[in-house]
Amino acid sequence: MPENRGVVYEGPGKVEVREVGYPDFELKDGPGVNPANVGRKLPHAAIIKTVATNICGSDQHMVRGRTTAPHGLVLGHEITGEVIETGPDVEYIKTGDLVSVPFNISCGRCRNCKARKTDICENVNPDRPGSAYGYVDMGGWVGGQADFALVPYADWNLLKFPDKDQAMEKMLDLAMLADIFPTGFHGCVSAGVQPGSTVYVAGAGPVGLAAAASAFLLGAAVVIVGDLNKQRLEQARSFGCETVDVSQGAPEDQIEQILGVPEVDCAVDAVGFEARGHGRDSGQEQPATVLNSLMGLTRAGGALGIPGLYVTGDPGAHDEAAKHGSLSLRLGLGWSKSLAFTTGQCPVMKYNRQLMMAILHDRVQIAKAVNATSIPLEMAPQGYHEFDEGAARKYVLDPHGMLTKAA
């Protein structure tokens, strides 16, 4: 069997690239694998040679020690690759297909999957609905920041690119289909973005930038992005966004300077549970800040899309309630304004085919918007460090040098 290197979480602030097991058509015991999943047969799976696998802010939460992720966990849930082997029950996906892997693992058979709610599949995680590769409390499916990865229910999960040569030419863009582009788009759809909307996106990390690009794709008139990081705000301005530096104070005042009113039609939370305060409190972690802020600045009758990650267990939280995912929300404000809230993982398969077509036919340049930057797999620790330091980039790992060759 070929060597398989993977990016492994070894404790807070530490990741290593080391030899990991080659994928098998049976789920083996290992770090984070749910005991009820050990020995699970996978004749419906495919083995993927990884072409691109991205570092995500959700991975960064684990690497910072802000979850209960076990040491030894192979990271990575944003996978794009070439099928090199299929199990005996795979009927339609073929060896040689170039594919995008939704970060949600779903069976295609349960009640939720049949309702297009693939983010909360009932059959892949014994603990609760919903699963993902290389992520804490998600069933223990091995992560994809590796040379090779296994995808269960391949006929259902995999999105095949129609033309391999065309796909390789646009691979940095297509690599965003596994997570952040659909996730940002879902945040905007959930918030009700439509032609002529004014939109506020909290967070100028890759998901926030993807949400901003999605808002334009959906026809928004004005897209305003708020963050503390000046380089990331500059990246947002590079493709037409207005920006708000929340270190200077509450975003409402700056929004009013842009729009003439201190509110927007639609708002997206692309920050999540490691949010910091605004203005003088910007150096302090205040996990409810963004949610409370969005309730204040969204017009009555509007909606909030909340793709930013919130967790049930945060051992690094600064207060006891937040350690269990309990936040001090101004729910009365949201209720009084009749605001709608949509939370949870993005159901990637609901959007990825349409977004693939938008990429292939030059309707969006998502890699440019998020400043996608490819690096070799062995540079993953450096990529994690620079991302944690606030780099205005989306790091894409290139295990086999295929992105470099295509470029």
Side-chain angles (χ1 to χ4, degrees):
M1 290 183 180
E3 178 187 70
N4 191 27
R5 302 165 300 157
V7 181
V8 179
Y9 171 63
E10 294 290 4
K14 186 177 182 182
V15 296
E16 293 181 355
V17 178
R18 60 177 172 84
E19 181 73 15
V20 297
Y22 188 80
D24 191 8
F25 293 97
E26 178 181 320
L27 194 56
K28 300 294 195 342
D29 196 8
V33 179
N34 191 296
N37 263 347
V38 175
R40 186 169 181 162
K41 305 296 185 184
L42 305 169
H44 44 67
I47 296 175
I48 306 296
K49 178 182 178 181
T50 305
V51 175
T53 178
N54 315 337
I55 296 174
C56 181
S58 299
D59 300 319
Q60 199 72 64
H61 291 307
M62 289 189 292
V63 172
R64 290 188 187 118
R66 297 301 297 270
T67 72
T68 56
H71 296 192
L73 184 71
V74 181
L75 300 168
H77 55 271
E78 300 188 20
I79 313 163
T80 311
E82 181 181 10
V83 176
I84 60 171
E85 187 177 354
T86 58
D89 288 356
V90 177
E91 188 173 359
Y92 303 111
I93 289 292
K94 304 298 182 185
T95 298
D97 286 347
L98 201 59
V99 294
S100 177
V101 184
F103 81 88
N104 322 110
I105 302 172
S106 57
C107 71
R109 296 154 164 82
C110 71
R111 176 180 179 178
N112 285 336
C113 284
K114 289 178 179 179
R116 302 182 78 193
K117 298 176 181 179
T118 54
D119 53 315
I120 43 175
C121 173
E122 297 175 333
N123 290 332
V124 288
N125 183 356
D127 283 340
R128 60 173 181 259
S131 191
Y133 304 89
Y135 212 82
V136 60
D137 296 332
M138 288 291 183
W141 300 90
V142 179
Q145 287 175 11
D147 291 307
F148 302 94
L150 185 82
V151 178
Y153 304 104
D155 281 328
W156 167 254
N157 281 306
L158 293 177
L159 174 67
K160 177 183 172 181
F161 300 137
D163 184 288
K164 291 180 70 173
D165 291 337
Q166 181 191 29
M168 285 306 302
E169 289 176 3
K170 296 180 177 290
M171 184 51 65
L172 271 183
D173 293 280
L174 294 171
M176 303 303 121
L177 290 174
D179 182 354
I180 67 164
F181 192 13
T183 293
F185 192 84
H186 177 63
C188 289
V189 170
S190 302
V193 177
Q194 57 187 337
S197 294
T198 57
V199 184
Y200 178 72
V201 178
V207 171
L209 296 171
S214 297
F216 283 126
L217 188 61
L218 287 164
V222 182
V223 180
I224 305 169
V225 179
D227 204 295
L228 301 161
N229 183 311
K230 290 178 171 53
Q231 287 72 38
R232 289 180 172 182
L233 291 174
E234 182 179 349
Q235 179 63 27
R237 289 192 292 271
S238 74
F239 60 98
C241 299
E242 302 287 343
T243 58
V244 163
D245 183 348
V246 296
S247 70
Q248 302 303 306
E252 290 91 332
D253 296 337
Q254 297 175 68
I255 288 171
E256 185 170 20
Q257 293 175 21
I258 296 167
L259 297 177
V261 292
E263 64 179 19
V264 293
D265 298 323
C266 315
V268 178
D269 174 5
V271 177
F273 74 103
E274 288 193 66
R276 296 187 176 275
H278 296 158
R280 290 177 295 178
D281 294 329
S282 61
Q284 303 173 22
E285 191 169 298
Q286 296 180 355
T289 296
V290 170
L291 290 172
N292 287 331
S293 172
L294 297 190
M295 283 189 274
L297 60 82
T298 304
R299 69 172 181 85
L304 276 60
I306 310 173
L309 177 67
Y310 290 87
V311 294
T312 56
D314 176 9
H318 295 286
D319 65 74
E320 197 61 34
K323 288 181 179 180
H324 304 284
S326 296
L327 309 182
S328 181
L329 295 178
R330 296 186 64 194
L331 190 58
L333 174 61
W335 187 93
S336 69
K337 296 177 72 174
S338 295
L339 299 177
F341 299 73
T342 300
T343 65
Q345 294 181 26
C346 164
V348 171
M349 292 173 66
K350 188 175 181 179
Y351 308 106
N352 62 351
R353 183 174 297 278
Q354 301 97 304
L355 296 179
M356 174 186 74
M357 297 303 289
I359 290 169
L360 293 178
H361 293 279
D362 299 317
R363 296 302 179 187
V364 64
Q365 293 181 303
I366 189 64
K368 184 177 180 181
V370 302
N371 197 16
T373 304
S374 66
I375 58 175
L377 184 72
E378 54 269 22
M379 288 182 63
Q382 179 180 335
Y384 269 96
H385 174 73
E386 292 178 2
F387 189 37
D388 192 46
E389 291 292 309
R393 296 179 182 277
K394 174 68 172 178
Y395 286 104
V396 180
L397 304 178
D398 183 11
H400 299 280
M402 297 173 73
L403 296 176
T404 302
K405 183 178 179 180

